Amino acid sequence: MALANYAIEVGRGGNHRLALRLKGLVHAQSRVIHGERHPKTLDALHNYAASTAALGDRTTAHGLLVQVTEARREVLGADHVDTLTSQEGAAVTCADRDETLRLLRDAYRARLAVQGPSHPEAVYTLRVLLGSSLPGESVVAARAEADSGDADDDAVAAGLLAVELHERLVAELGPDHVDTLMATCCLAHALALQGPETNAGFLIDDAGLAETLGEAVPWTRSARILQSWIEDVEDPAADLDNE
């Protein structure tokens, strides 16, 4: 564990080649001590893939992250936070933009359900999804720009990206297109992160997202989660009364 932590810090310091060697050693030792599919071994492989991506080998990194994601799904479950993290890594190293967006959308919806809209990792995923959804944006750049680790920075950036994406889709597809409605969910989330004064609830209420999307669309559940959370954000006193 100490060596794994040291390798991560070396990578954060910019020495990705040394970090890769150290992480490879950690993974090899973990396979012997814990076995191929132990969560710690999968953590080590995920970290090795991250350094591989940092060195520019996205193809190899993507293959490793897909492997980690599939193993974590079986060992930890599809909605486990570690599974979602490796899924996001597989998304941003994927050469297929449609697949990238599919994976990020799935991870975002799962984080809303499992961790809640205010969780820093859910906010981070929202920021990466929005940056990756804008035409001409590089998903790698979107991921790198979201790597500050500052939740407040993520929230502010998500707000700016959400407004730009929503305006673009309203103009191109119209307000009732399913892609625009998904962007409306993200915009409501991003605005509510700024505080109750944004009145983000009107976006979901006026659009009737939960009703418009229909029960068969996964975003319906997300819309309802966001709607409930935004009501608490905008009227915390009501939440206390309910308690």
Side-chain angles (χ1 to χ4, degrees), residues 43-62:
D43 289 347
L45 185 56
H46 177 98
N47 292 336
Y48 181 83
S51 288
T52 302
L55 287 169
D57 189 354
R58 292 175 55 202
T59 300
T60 299
H62 176 69

Side-chain angles (χ1 to χ4, degrees), residues 136-160:
E137 287 283 336
S138 163
V139 294
V140 176
R143 174 69 161 75
E145 288 170 5
D147 261 344
S148 69
D150 189 307
D152 289 337
D153 286 349
D154 287 340
V156 171
L160 295 173

Side-chain angles (χ1 to χ4, degrees), residues 38 79-80 108 118 151 163 167 177 185 205 212 227:
H38 191 281
D79 290 338
H80 191 282
Y108 171 65
S118 61
V163 169
E167 289 179 348
H177 190 279
C185 286
D205 292 338
T212 304
Q227 192 170 33

Side-chain angles (χ1 to χ4, degrees), residues 114-209:
V114 174
Q115 295 172 291
S118 61
H119 194 283
E121 290 183 351
V123 178
Y124 173 87
T125 302
L126 172 64
R127 178 178 179 175
V128 177
L129 171 60
L130 290 166
S132 303
S133 299
L134 286 166
E137 287 283 336
S138 163
V139 294
V140 176
R143 174 69 161 75
E145 288 170 5
D147 261 344
S148 69
D150 189 307
D152 289 337
D153 286 349
D154 287 340
V156 171
L160 295 173
L161 292 168
V163 169
E164 181 179 349
L165 178 63
H166 188 261
E167 289 179 348
R168 187 184 295 268
L169 291 179
V170 168
E172 293 177 357
L173 304 175
D176 297 326
H177 190 279
V178 65
D179 288 349
T180 308
L181 293 174
M182 289 189 292
T184 303
C185 286
C186 294
L187 177 59
H189 184 185
L191 290 178
L193 291 168
Q194 314 304 319
E197 65 279 1
T198 59
N199 294 317
F202 82 91
L203 284 169
I204 291 182
D205 292 338
D206 287 357
L209 290 176

